[in-house]
Amino acid sequence: MLRFAGKRLLWALVTLWAIITITFIIMHSIPGDPFAREGKMPPAVYENLTKHYHLDEPLYVQYFLYMKSLLVFDFGPSLKSSTLTVNDYIEKGFPVSLHLGVQALLLAVVLGLIFGIIAALNRNKWPDYLSMVLAIVGISVPSFILATFLINYFAVEWGLLPAATWSSWAHTILPTISLAMLPMAYIARLMRSSMLEVLNQDFMLTAKSKGLNKGFIILKYAVRNAILPVVSVLGILAANLVTGSFVVESIFGIPGVGELFVDGIFNRDYPVILGSTIFYSMVLIFLIFIVDIAYFWIDPRIKVAGEEQ
């Protein structure tokens, strides 16, 4: 277990370093200047700004300085703000994205598992068709289209829910549904396929032949084994939801990490773009690492294989 976790942690660090390096190179390869939007400024002011932010240094020096600051989790100053740093922006926006992402993840997992299990247990019957139609709609309709639809009817036409800003729990309902629909549909389809495969396994036939309760067999054997493929994708799904959807946050005016990233691109704010990208990657890698470790607790066969290596 510890050896497996150590290997995964090492690969996680290597992956994070590669993401930081590639993002840094691409960011500084984009033509243009972060101070171009400031309009024409005196050469002395421009020179002082570039020197203050080390933009006049060679690229490898900037890379070394940036990596040195990352060792103490300092994402650097914002080029467009004289008082706030990237850490300040993330500290302000991440709790909002976390709140929204956790709600959407819980909704997607619960409904996805329920629809997938119902569809598998009622194969080629109307509950199966209904669940899969909902899943197809969830996968096919983009989140920004769904968000626009929800705003138009639930907020504008019917006036049941608020459409924008972030001040109460009611404001989270529509963006949560918009974010949860796609992962819910994906989980439902994945769970259905996995359940159908497990239900035809020999150990399921053996359990049925022993006269065990059907509900007990489904929960104890079928669901536990069928849920493994779902667990394997939860890390990526959770990271996408927790760090926030850029489009959905923009549509609903939610002050999360997505808004931070969009503003950074619009303003060509290198530290903000780098910081938000690296922070997103750290969350993604951490959640995937947690999912890998969770496999040991869910499936004993993986534990045995890990011990034999």
Side-chain angles (χ1 to χ4, degrees):
M1 176 71 175
L2 292 177
R3 182 168 43 199
F4 175 82
K7 290 181 180 179
R8 285 292 187 270
L9 181 60
L10 178 61
W11 278 111
L13 294 175
V14 172
T15 303
L16 182 60
W17 169 80
I19 291 174
I20 294 172
T21 303
I22 294 173
T23 305
F24 184 88
I25 293 174
I26 293 176
M27 192 67 257
H28 286 79
S29 300
I30 298 176
D33 192 291
F35 301 113
R37 295 182 58 85
E38 302 296 334
K40 189 175 182 180
M41 62 177 64
V45 175
Y46 178 83
E47 182 179 350
N48 289 333
L49 285 173
T50 55
K51 185 176 182 179
H52 176 73
Y53 292 110
H54 303 286
L55 297 178
D56 59 336
E57 301 281 357
L59 189 60
Y60 70 89
V61 175
Q62 296 183 49
Y63 175 77
F64 173 77
L65 293 174
Y66 191 72
M67 292 298 293
K68 184 179 178 181
S69 65
L70 286 181
L71 293 177
V72 292
F73 296 98
D74 180 9
F75 293 105
S78 170
L79 300 183
K80 300 300 179 179
S81 174
S82 59
T83 58
L84 297 177
T85 65
V86 180
N87 292 61
D88 295 329
Y89 284 120
I90 293 177
E91 184 178 352
K92 178 182 178 182
F94 181 65
V96 176
S97 294
L98 178 63
H99 181 181
L100 179 62
V102 169
Q103 281 192 182
L105 180 64
L106 291 176
L107 181 64
V109 171
V110 172
L111 294 183
L113 291 178
I114 291 175
F115 288 151
I117 293 172
I118 291 175
L121 296 178
N122 297 274
R123 185 178 183 183
N124 296 329
K125 298 180 181 179
W126 71 265
D128 182 18
Y129 298 141
L130 178 60
S131 299
M132 289 305 98
V133 166
L134 292 175
I136 292 173
V137 171
I139 293 176
S140 304
V141 179
S143 59
F144 64 90
I145 296 294
L146 179 60
T148 305
F149 175 85
L150 294 176
I151 291 174
N152 181 65
Y153 286 97
F154 286 89
V156 178
E157 296 289 340
W158 302 333
L160 299 176
L161 293 168
T165 70
W166 186 266
S167 58
S168 67
W169 182 78
H171 290 83
T172 70
I173 296 177
L174 294 183
T176 296
I177 296 174
S178 302
L179 281 177
M181 197 64 179
L182 176 59
M184 182 274 291
Y186 183 73
I187 291 173
R189 290 175 61 87
L190 188 60
M191 190 64 184
R192 177 186 182 274
S193 300
S194 183
M195 277 286 291
L196 290 175
E197 182 179 351
V198 170
L199 290 174
N200 293 322
Q201 295 293 323
D202 292 337
F203 68 87
M204 289 295 296
L205 299 177
T206 302
K208 293 178 182 178
S209 66
K210 291 181 179 181
L212 297 176
N213 180 271
K214 183 178 180 180
F216 176 81
I217 295 174
I218 296 298
L219 293 176
K220 177 68 176 179
Y221 298 104
V223 174
R224 182 177 180 181
N225 287 276
I227 204 173
L228 284 173
V230 176
V231 174
S232 67
V233 301
L234 281 183
I236 297 176
L237 293 179
N240 288 333
L241 293 176
V242 169
T243 52
S245 169
F246 301 157
V247 176
V248 170
E249 287 188 3
S250 298
I251 291 175
F252 288 95
I254 299 174
V257 178
E259 185 182 44
L260 166 68
F261 187 79
V262 172
D263 289 343
I265 294 177
F266 182 76
N267 293 320
R268 300 187 64 85
D269 197 335
Y270 292 160
V272 169
I273 299 174
L274 281 169
S276 55
T277 302
I278 293 169
F279 180 77
Y280 173 89
S281 302
M282 290 172 62
V283 174
L284 174 61
I285 293 171
F286 173 75
L287 291 174
I288 293 176
F289 174 76
I290 295 299
V291 168
D292 287 340
I293 300 302
Y295 259 70
F296 278 82
W297 303 101
I298 298 175
D299 192 350
R301 295 170 297 179
I302 298 177
K303 185 180 298 183
V304 171
E307 292 171 353
E308 291 176 351
Q309 293 177 354

